[in-house]
Amino acid sequence: QVQLVESGGGWVQPGGSLRLSCAASGSRFLFNTMGWYRQTPGKERELVADTTRGSRTNYGDSVKGRFTISRDNASNTVYLQMNNLKPEDTALYYCKAITIQTSYWGQGTQVTVSS
């Protein structure tokens, strides 16, 4: 079955950096768009960034200029480099991978930004 394995979350002080990784496996179909979403209690899940196999990228307004998404198609891995982190970036971050058939979600990795 399809698995999305996320890593790289944790605690960081404001202004710091973290790098998230998500490795997808187990699909008969290509993973087309892969990306990251985040959610805090009481709020809807929101797009952080996503990228296509052709490396076209899309970012949420609140992270533009601070976060960079990239992917390795050979290993079906997507990365999120997060710089200049702010307390409002604190959330549970979810990886999402989309095939022609359906979409899949990871279990989430916590990012906490505080002093």
Side-chain angles (χ1 to χ4, degrees):
Q1 69 274 20
V2 173
Q3 284 189 311
L4 272 62
V5 180
E6 301 152 328
S7 61
W11 172 83
V12 66
Q13 292 186 331
S17 298
L18 284 174
R19 189 188 194 214
L20 305 183
S21 299
C22 171
S25 62
S27 174
R28 295 192 300 129
F29 302 101
L30 290 175
F31 294 105
N32 294 321
T33 300
M34 297 183 70
W36 292 92
Y37 288 70
R38 66 187 182 188
Q39 189 171 24
T40 55
K43 292 190 177 182
E44 291 188 0
R45 198 170 293 187
E46 65 173 2
L47 172 72
V48 178
D50 63 22
T51 180
T52 66
R53 290 187 66 84
S55 298
R56 188 174 71 242
T57 59
N58 182 37
Y59 292 92
D61 287 341
S62 62
V63 306
K64 287 180 181 176
R66 299 187 298 123
F67 292 10
T68 302
I69 191 168
S70 61
R71 68 185 283 174
D72 176 18
N73 289 331
S75 63
N76 292 317
T77 302
V78 63
Y79 304 96
L80 185 68
Q81 178 66 43
M82 304 185 293
N83 297 328
N84 190 23
L85 282 158
K86 304 176 181 181
E88 50 264 41
D89 295 316
T90 295
L92 192 58
Y93 283 69
Y94 294 92
C95 177
K96 182 178 183 180
I98 303 172
T99 70
I100 195 171
Q101 187 181 46
T102 189
S103 58
Y104 302 91
W105 290 93
Q107 62 194 26
T109 184
Q110 179 68 36
V111 171
T112 302
V113 185
S114 72
S115 54

